[in-house]
Amino acid sequence: MSPVNEMILNDRVAIVTGAGSGIGRAGAQIMAREGAITAIFDRDGHAAGETAELIRAAGGRAHAFEVDVTDDAALIDAIGRVKAEYGRIDILHNHAGAQVEGNLEDVSVEGFDRSWNLNVRAHFIAARTVMPHMRAQGGGVILNTSSSSGVLYDREMVAYTTTKHAVIAMTRQIAGDYARYGIRVNALCPGWVDTPFNEPFIRQMGGRDGIESYIREKVPMGRWARVEEIAEPILFLVSDRSSYMTGQILVVDGGETVV
């Protein structure tokens, strides 16, 4: 780890939801590498613990929480425990989410509701819960994970694209309302990142060969992103490197949305 005086998040308290694997884990790791105290939220307690252990093994500070973010009471309680333990909350990265495949006629209503509750409502509840603490301390950062599917058409994924567009609208609205309190709110829109998160779309494409062909055709860079390539933009958005940036959408997608 770099010297303390070079750590750009030194002693800041960060909550990362869905941090038990994939992009969430990579984001939590890079925040911890830069000095943040990281609260790892995941419905899979074992996975959350693994992320926390990886961070501690690298010399960082982390605390794992087993929490289903779609359970309002559990989410609010976990955020309260972080505040009680560390006295402040500087960063909230709302990352937990899910893909639910299907077009308008094929997707189940239950699947649509699950997608909404996880991809939008849980972000809303978490942001609503941290906001009074951030206002009282004079600032903070909220980062919401949307998707490249929040800015373009995504074939036969009506539940997913609806929720990811909603995240962007919510991000902009909160940013405008709370900028005067020194609270910045931005959204990250990753493109194709090679994690198990994509299993629903891979099924829809007929398997791994189908998705590989799709990515080669649709993504100008012709490949998946690595989670580390998404972690760096996360660090930018939650740190003072983006100190005059709020209400914005950062798309990291290998060029897919420009063609």
Side-chain angles (χ1 to χ4, degrees):
M1 298 177 68
S2 52
V4 169
N5 62 2
E6 295 182 6
M7 292 182 183
I8 63 175
L9 297 178
N10 195 44
D11 291 335
R12 297 187 194 180
V13 178
I15 295 172
V16 184
T17 71
S21 62
I23 294 171
R25 173 176 284 180
Q29 287 177 303
I30 202 168
M31 290 185 213
R33 187 195 76 190
E34 292 298 333
I37 302 165
T38 52
I40 310 301
F41 286 17
D42 202 282
R43 67 177 182 178
D44 183 336
H46 178 71
E50 284 185 341
T51 299
E53 181 53 38
L54 287 169
I55 288 170
R56 289 192 289 265
R61 293 169 290 176
H63 186 180
F65 293 80
E66 181 176 346
V67 55
D68 178 352
V69 296
T70 64
D71 181 333
D72 292 357
L75 179 57
I76 292 167
D77 177 71
I79 291 170
R81 288 161 61 194
V82 174
K83 173 62 167 59
E85 176 71 20
Y86 299 110
R88 59 188 298 115
I89 298 170
D90 300 291
I91 297 164
L92 168 65
H93 181 191
N94 278 316
H95 176 70
Q99 283 186 2
V100 176
E101 71 268 37
N103 64 25
L104 177 64
E105 295 173 285
D106 294 337
V107 69
S108 69
V109 174
E110 293 78 13
F112 188 94
D113 288 344
R114 179 167 64 87
S115 184
W116 182 266
N117 288 336
L118 181 54
N119 295 352
V120 183
R121 193 175 186 281
H123 289 17
F124 165 79
I125 294 295
R128 180 183 176 94
T129 304
V130 303
M131 192 59 76
H133 305 307
M134 290 184 173
R135 281 196 293 106
Q137 69 198 24
V141 177
I142 298 173
L143 175 60
N144 295 320
T145 295
S146 178
S147 169
S148 59
S149 299
V151 295
L152 50 67
Y153 157 77
D154 203 348
R155 191 180 78 177
E156 297 179 351
M157 297 286 281
V158 66
Y160 188 65
T161 57
T162 297
T163 60
K164 292 304 185 178
H165 278 72
V167 167
I168 290 173
M170 182 170 65
T171 296
R172 288 174 167 157
Q173 181 68 47
I174 298 172
D177 289 344
Y178 287 90
R180 65 184 180 274
Y181 298 107
I183 298 164
R184 299 189 300 109
V185 189
N186 292 296
L188 177 70
C189 292
W192 294 102
V193 186
D194 197 4
T195 73
F197 179 82
N198 295 296
E199 286 304 319
F201 197 77
I202 292 172
R203 285 196 303 269
Q204 191 163 278
M205 295 295 294
R208 186 75 185 191
D209 289 345
I211 193 68
E212 294 288 354
S213 176
Y214 182 88
I215 289 170
R216 284 193 299 271
E217 177 187 352
K218 298 292 186 181
V219 178
M221 291 184 71
R223 64 173 178 86
W224 300 85
R226 304 184 308 276
V227 291
E228 294 81 9
E229 293 176 296
I230 308 302
E232 291 289 348
I234 289 171
L235 180 62
F236 169 73
L237 289 169
V238 303
S239 74
D240 291 343
R241 290 175 176 175
S242 57
S243 59
Y244 197 56
M245 182 176 174
T246 195
Q248 300 304 308
I249 313 307
L250 183 59
V251 180
V252 187
D253 69 346
E256 183 181 13
T257 56
V258 301
V259 296

